[in-house]
């Protein structure tokens, strides 16, 4: 970072990169730069293209506000939030640094937000990296990547996995520029949650991402990876909502908001495609990374089992009650019928005898418990555990955790639910949508737990050791995050046994409709 005399007297910090100069802000003990372009806007002739390097600019560019988010699906009003910010420079990064010195060489933590590959923007208040950077002595980087049809639609004439290619481009920007902000490009950790953790897993399997990070944190890995045929069939249905074909020629001039709305329309009626699209139709999972043999050659589990992550340290885990929040949002909390539980076991259980194994393994569980168990295991818990097991089976190092602290917000009914880890890891317990899980006025035990998780995450980014033993196939030791910290054998043993022979394959296009 270039520090001038005016900065030493308290003026805004500036930094000069190869592309041009930036002016940031100072906030609560950190230096912050927001809305830095890492690629050209993917619009006009670049619509649905792989990201292109950003062009140089003249003068000093203000880096004080988040860049405009990429087009969003309508979940949680994210489409309206996106429309509130004008501009098409969707691909930007944000940097929080506790040290303005260019030679500080601090560890770098690069966050990849989730949102089912349908929504997600780095400018949400829950992703403010100030506290994590300031108290952890690390640089925190967040960024936007294309989601929905813009990022993951399988179109003729467009490269697959454009959202993942955006992520690679952001990591290349970190490699080339982070030293000027006081970071060490050789000590980069990627971390993400839900679809962000699925993205972290995908990056572990992508040859183009090799060498861009040395450590990875995957929080509640979304385990869905599509075949090209499945992704193309879903994209065809989305384009048909607009009376168009799934091609760049047809779609490149369509208003991005209309394209997002078409994806939402298909998601709202995916149940009718269950015989063709499989279990993702039952959960309205419209988009996922595509294992197309080029950018993403194989699934993350196969890649790690083959040794792709042997030189990368991995921290991976999940919450105990992953899908309870999702069940509540569906209006089914405490209302699951025997028939709904039976359908969930048949659809989401592993193999033809999965339903029987759940009923035998949990004989006292009612329909609500069985429904929650099989969905949590299929969508998040077992994909996360199997990532660690694939890593260790090939001689790599993995650390595993489970968040078991029940969320005190929402009258305490949600348990340790999906997304609870986000405010705890960032330390933003009183802002953003996930903070509602903790409730007004974060309880003291929440602050203590957040401090423990932040310390573990930043220690891992700094040293490669989060503070508990590495996972192995013998003891299977994991760290439990609760009011009382503990290290114990993996607590979801019955689920582990039910899923132990499942390999999380590429999801195919099925016959019928």
């Amino acid at each position: 970072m270039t520090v001038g005399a005016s900065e030493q007297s308290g003026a805004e910090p500036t930094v000069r990169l190869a592309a041009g100069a930036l002016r940031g802000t100072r906030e609560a003990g950190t230096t912050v730069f927001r809305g830095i372009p890492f690629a050209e806007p993917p619009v006009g002739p670049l619509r649905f293209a792989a990201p292109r390097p950003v062009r140089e600019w003249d003068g000093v560019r203000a880096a004080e506000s988040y860049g405009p988010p990429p087009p969003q699906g309508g979940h949680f009003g994210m489409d309206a939030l996106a429309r509130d910010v004008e501009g098409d420079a969707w691909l930007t990064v944000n940097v929080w640094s506790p040290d303005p010195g260019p030679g500080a060489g601090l560890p770098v933590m690069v966050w990849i937000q989730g949102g089912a590959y349908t929504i997600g923007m780095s400018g949400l208040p829950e992703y403010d990296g100030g506290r994590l950077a300031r108290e952890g002595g690390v640089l925190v980087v967040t960024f936007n990547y294309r989601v929905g049809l813009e990022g993951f639609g399988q179109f003729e004439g467009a490269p697959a996995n454009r959202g993942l290619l955006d992520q690679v481009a952001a990591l290349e920007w970190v490699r080339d520029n982070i030293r000027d902000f006081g970071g060490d490009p050789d000590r980069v950790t990627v971390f993400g949650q839900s679809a962000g953790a699925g993205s972290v897993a995908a990056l572990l399997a992508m040859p183009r991402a090799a060498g861009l990070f040395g450590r990875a944190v995957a929080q509640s890995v979304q385990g869905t990876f599509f075949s090209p045929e499945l992704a193309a069939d879903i994209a065809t249905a989305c384009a048909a909502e607009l009376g168009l074909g799934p091609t760049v020629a047809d779609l490149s001039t369509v208003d991005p908001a209309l394209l997002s709305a078409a994806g939402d329309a298909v998601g709202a009626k995916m149940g009718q495609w269950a015989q063709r699209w499989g279990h993702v139709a039952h959960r309205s999972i419209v988009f996922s990374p595509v294992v197309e043999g080029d950018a993403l050659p194989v699934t993350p589990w196969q890649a790690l089992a083959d040794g792709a992550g042997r030189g990368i340290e991995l921290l991976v885990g999940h919450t105990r009650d992953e899908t309870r929040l999702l069940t509540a949002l569906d209006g089914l909390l405490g209302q699951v019928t025997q028939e709904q539980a039976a359908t969930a076991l048949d659809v989401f259980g592993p193999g033809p005898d999965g339903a029987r194994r759940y009923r035998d393994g949990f004989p006292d569980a009612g329909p609500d418990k069985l429904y929650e168990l099989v969905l949590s295991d299929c969508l998040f818990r077992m994909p996360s555990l199997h990532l660690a097991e694939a890593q260790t089976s090939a001689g790599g190092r993995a650390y595993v955790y489970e968040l078991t602290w029940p969320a005190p917000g929402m009258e305490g009914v949600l348990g340790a639910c999906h997304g609870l880890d986000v405010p705890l890891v960032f330390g933003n317990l009183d802002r953003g949508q996930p903070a509602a899980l903790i409730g007004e006025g974060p309880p003291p035990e929440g602050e203590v737990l957040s401090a423990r998780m932040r310390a573990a995450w930043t220690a891992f980014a700094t040293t490669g050791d989060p503070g508990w033993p590495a996972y192995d196939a013998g003891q299977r030791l994991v760290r439990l995050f609760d009011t009382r910290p503990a290290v114990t054998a993996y607590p979801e043993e019955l689920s582990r046994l039910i899923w132990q022979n499942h390999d999380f394959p590429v999801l195919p296009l099925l016959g019928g409709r």
Side-chain angles (χ1 to χ4, degrees):
M1 187 175 295
T2 304
V3 181
S6 61
E7 294 178 70
Q8 296 172 1
S9 61
E12 293 88 349
T14 60
V15 62
R16 180 168 293 281
L17 309 178
L22 297 166
R23 181 180 66 251
T25 60
R26 299 188 192 279
E27 301 173 14
T30 59
T31 302
V32 188
F33 293 83
R34 294 182 174 92
I36 310 167
F38 67 86
E40 283 294 288
V43 297
L46 301 184
R47 185 95 179 268
F48 306 123
R52 304 286 179 87
V54 66
R55 290 174 291 183
E56 296 181 11
W57 61 84
D58 296 324
V60 179
R61 182 185 187 120
E64 301 165 351
S65 302
Y66 293 111
Q72 302 280 305
H75 307 282
F76 308 110
M78 295 285 276
D79 53 345
L81 284 177
R83 288 194 298 268
D84 285 343
V85 184
E86 295 183 358
D88 52 21
W90 303 333
L91 303 181
T92 58
V93 302
N94 319 291
V95 181
W96 287 262
S97 172
D99 188 327
L106 297 178
V108 182
M109 298 183 69
V110 182
W111 172 252
I112 307 176
Q113 68 269 358
Y117 306 103
T118 303
I119 58 175
M121 59 183 76
S122 63
L124 295 177
E126 52 261 39
Y127 304 141
D128 184 288
R131 189 175 188 186
L132 191 61
R134 182 176 63 254
E135 298 182 9
V138 299
L139 264 73
V140 176
V141 178
T142 66
F143 64 91
N144 288 334
Y145 61 96
R146 284 172 284 182
V147 293
L149 287 163
E150 299 286 344
F152 293 93
Q154 186 80 354
F155 301 142
E156 180 183 332
N161 295 311
R162 296 174 298 280
L164 295 181
L165 297 179
D166 292 345
Q167 295 172 16
V168 172
L171 288 168
E172 290 173 337
W173 182 93
V174 169
R175 177 197 61 198
D176 296 339
N177 295 280
I178 205 64
R179 194 182 303 277
D180 293 313
F181 296 86
D184 184 347
D186 295 321
R187 287 203 292 170
V188 174
T189 299
V190 291
F191 69 128
Q193 184 265 348
S194 195
S199 296
V200 168
L203 290 168
L204 289 166
M206 293 178 67
R208 299 182 196 192
L212 295 177
F213 57 94
R215 295 174 181 134
V217 183
Q219 305 168 209
S220 302
V221 177
Q222 182 173 329
T224 51
F225 284 76
F226 289 176
S227 68
E229 296 78 15
L230 174 59
D233 208 57
I234 293 174
T236 297
C238 293
E241 291 289 324
L242 302 171
L244 300 171
T247 69
V248 170
D250 270 17
L251 298 173
S252 60
T253 59
V254 173
D255 185 314
L258 291 178
L259 205 60
S260 296
D264 288 346
V266 170
K269 55 186 178 184
M270 281 189 82
Q272 72 184 44
W273 298 88
Q275 296 302 312
R276 189 170 178 82
W277 295 345
H279 76 251
V280 297
H282 289 265
R283 294 304 301 171
S284 296
I285 300 172
V286 187
F287 307 107
S288 286
V290 182
V291 180
E292 86 313 356
D294 179 19
L296 185 57
V298 296
T299 68
W301 303 276
Q302 184 63 57
L304 291 191
D306 292 341
R310 194 175 292 128
I312 296 175
E313 291 151 323
L314 175 65
L315 171 59
V316 60
H318 56 74
T319 70
R320 182 187 56 202
D321 310 303
E322 284 282 2
T323 57
R324 194 171 299 175
L325 172 63
L326 308 182
T327 303
L329 293 173
D330 290 339
L332 290 177
L333 196 61
Q335 306 295 320
V336 177
T337 66
Q338 293 283 0
E339 181 180 3
Q340 287 169 323
T343 298
L345 290 171
D346 288 337
V347 171
F348 295 98
D353 65 341
R356 177 192 59 78
R357 298 188 70 186
Y358 268 97
R359 294 191 184 280
D360 290 348
F362 301 93
D364 298 326
D368 290 286
K369 182 65 173 177
L370 289 170
Y371 183 86
E372 178 182 305
L373 278 169
V374 72
L375 284 174
S376 293
D377 285 342
C378 179
L379 298 178
F380 303 111
R381 299 201 310 183
M382 294 305 108
S384 301
L385 180 67
H386 281 217
L387 202 67
E389 295 193 334
Q391 171 78 334
T392 57
S393 72
R397 183 177 293 270
Y399 298 88
V400 178
Y401 73 90
E402 183 177 47
L403 175 61
T404 56
W405 182 63
M410 315 287 276
E411 299 182 351
V413 300
L414 298 180
C417 63
H418 192 67
L420 179 61
D421 50 324
V422 172
L424 293 171
V425 166
F426 275 89
N428 298 326
L429 306 185
D430 57 355
R431 68 181 81 171
Q433 290 183 340
L437 303 174
I438 295 174
E440 291 188 26
E445 62 269 23
E447 289 285 3
V448 171
L449 180 58
S450 175
R452 289 196 187 110
M453 293 188 76
R454 284 182 280 117
W457 265 235
T458 54
F460 178 74
T462 302
T463 68
D465 183 352
W468 64 89
Y471 186 87
D472 62 55
Q475 294 182 297
R476 296 192 175 88
L477 295 179
V478 305
R479 170 69 183 270
L480 302 185
F481 282 100
D482 210 321
T483 51
R484 293 185 178 182
V487 175
T488 184
Y490 182 66
E492 316 304 338
E493 178 65 4
L494 289 174
S495 291
R496 187 192 71 80
L497 291 173
I498 291 171
W499 288 81
Q500 63 180 339
N501 295 320
H502 187 75
D503 60 2
F504 288 97
V506 177
L507 297 176
L509 176 65
L510 307 175
R513 177 171 177 174

